[in-house]
Amino acid sequence: APSLPLPTPEQPLPPARGAAMATAGGSGGPPEAAPAALQREPVYNWQATKGSLQERFAFLFTNELLSDVRFVQRIPAHRFLLAAGSAVFDAMFNGGMATTSAEIELPDVEPAAFLALLRFLYSDEVQIGPETVMTTLYTAKKYAVPALEAHCVEFLTKHLRADNAFMLLTQARLFDEPQLASLCLDTIDKSTMDAISAEGFTDIDIDTLCAVLERDTLSIRESRLFGAVVRWAEAECQRQQLPVTSGNKQKVLGKALSLIRFPLMTIEEFAAGPAQSGILSDREVVNLFLHFTVNPKPRVDYIDRPRCCLRGKECSINRFQQVESRWGYSGTSDRIRFTVNRRISIVGFGLYGSIHGPTDYQVNIQIIEYEKNQTLGQNDTGFSCDGTANTFRVMFKEPIEILPTVSYTACATLKGPDSHYGTKGLKKVIHESPTASKTCFSFSSSPGNNNGTSIEDGQIPEIIFYT
């Protein structure tokens, strides 16, 4: 699709063009001559050469012949045709406050957009492009021509991409185009990282920023979202001519800061970013660190509801063929390494529970990128089991993206009584779906500080994921 250099959100409305908008004789000096393209000699019996009403009206477009009113740069027009196509023009020429002037001033409409409007009213012909679509949309709304407005929205929809979604979202909200706004938000949900990396993101207004941060369906890690919000705050400080300080960034963010879901971050992500940003108060930083590290967790004033844009059916694989007892815990993590053949999102594990009947466990689960030793997601939580050999779901706070051929470590640290465990483990487990390609998990033992889990036996029997 071609690039779409649309108006920036700082200039949401088409700007007035000063002299270009003045009518002839409007502000001193000699009247401005009509553009050469608009000067046409009358043609005798021209009606006979036009086979339809549309052809006859199209012939009159910007034609001096029979015109009885002029707009912008002395563009000739016909009151009857304009009133027939627009309630605004009908009121202008025929209403109780109708104008009697033969020349009409249009102080806030782009000439190219006004010509596109006239062309449509005269001939149903739509001529819009990336450079004129926004100003034409504004003009169509101003003069109440919903059919042309719909053509503009359709054009924008066809050219909607992640890198212009925020720019178009701002315009859609400004022009009250809910259908276009909804499509922009869907695009932002599906390609959040690409959308917030685009130049237009830092240009949005605070209300648009909040509307996006409120969504449960963004597909991005909260730490990266926080980084983007900080970039927006820096740009907003500059727009308001404020020094780019931590205090001013906090000030311009206002209610948007409370929409960042800090509890969804790992403690490492929080420590490396928000805790050092200066945007949060010392008390907030301490409370959030306590939230990450102690039980019971203190109350924090931030949403901890996961953002999940995953669609489709949840999948799971079990790497063991048999269940035995007993497996003990002494504070060391059970770990297993794995790779997959395609991109997936892991949302949780299935874990074995107690051999002694109904019991509650405390558990920390993690996914670690093996080569970088980087924690991609974790959750301090708990689960209740019923004493059977079934597995019990333990979920992450948000989906964790897993890339093909990259090695990861699944980690679970349980506190509780002896449990069941799996045996006769498989090195490869293939999940087949009728609507998607096969997903192949390859397992290998995790050396080092491991509670004993291996390919052959141990904990972490199930991985729960979306493709």
Side-chain angles (χ1 to χ4, degrees), residues 232 332 373:
W232 181 91
T332 304
N373 195 28

mmCIF file of all heavy atoms in Angstrom, residues 232 332 373:
data_model
loop_
_atom_site.group_PDB
_atom_site.id
_atom_site.type_symbol
_atom_site.label_atom_id
_atom_site.label_comp_id
_atom_site.label_asym_id
_atom_site.label_seq_id
_atom_site.Cartn_x
_atom_site.Cartn_y
_atom_site.Cartn_z
ATOM 1 N N TRP A 232 6.059 9.188 24.989
ATOM 2 C CA TRP A 232 4.936 10.105 24.764
ATOM 3 C C TRP A 232 5.015 11.280 25.733
ATOM 4 O O TRP A 232 4.797 12.438 25.349
ATOM 5 C CB TRP A 232 3.613 9.362 24.931
ATOM 6 C CG TRP A 232 2.436 10.261 24.683
ATOM 7 C CD1 TRP A 232 1.791 10.476 23.518
ATOM 8 C CD2 TRP A 232 1.781 11.096 25.665
ATOM 9 N NE1 TRP A 232 0.783 11.392 23.689
ATOM 10 C CE2 TRP A 232 0.756 11.789 24.998
ATOM 11 C CE3 TRP A 232 1.975 11.321 27.021
ATOM 12 C CZ2 TRP A 232 -0.084 12.692 25.642
ATOM 13 C CZ3 TRP A 232 1.144 12.234 27.682
ATOM 14 C CH2 TRP A 232 0.130 12.902 26.991
ATOM 15 N N THR A 332 14.056 -25.744 45.994
ATOM 16 C CA THR A 332 14.760 -25.692 44.707
ATOM 17 C C THR A 332 13.745 -25.811 43.568
ATOM 18 O O THR A 332 12.752 -26.520 43.678
ATOM 19 C CB THR A 332 15.784 -26.836 44.613
ATOM 20 O OG1 THR A 332 16.669 -26.748 45.732
ATOM 21 C CG2 THR A 332 16.592 -26.752 43.331
ATOM 22 N N ASN A 373 19.762 -15.951 29.677
ATOM 23 C CA ASN A 373 19.395 -16.058 31.091
ATOM 24 C C ASN A 373 18.465 -14.913 31.493
ATOM 25 O O ASN A 373 18.609 -14.290 32.544
ATOM 26 C CB ASN A 373 20.639 -16.068 31.989
ATOM 27 C CG ASN A 373 20.309 -16.533 33.402
ATOM 28 O OD1 ASN A 373 19.371 -17.304 33.616
ATOM 29 N ND2 ASN A 373 21.061 -16.050 34.383
#
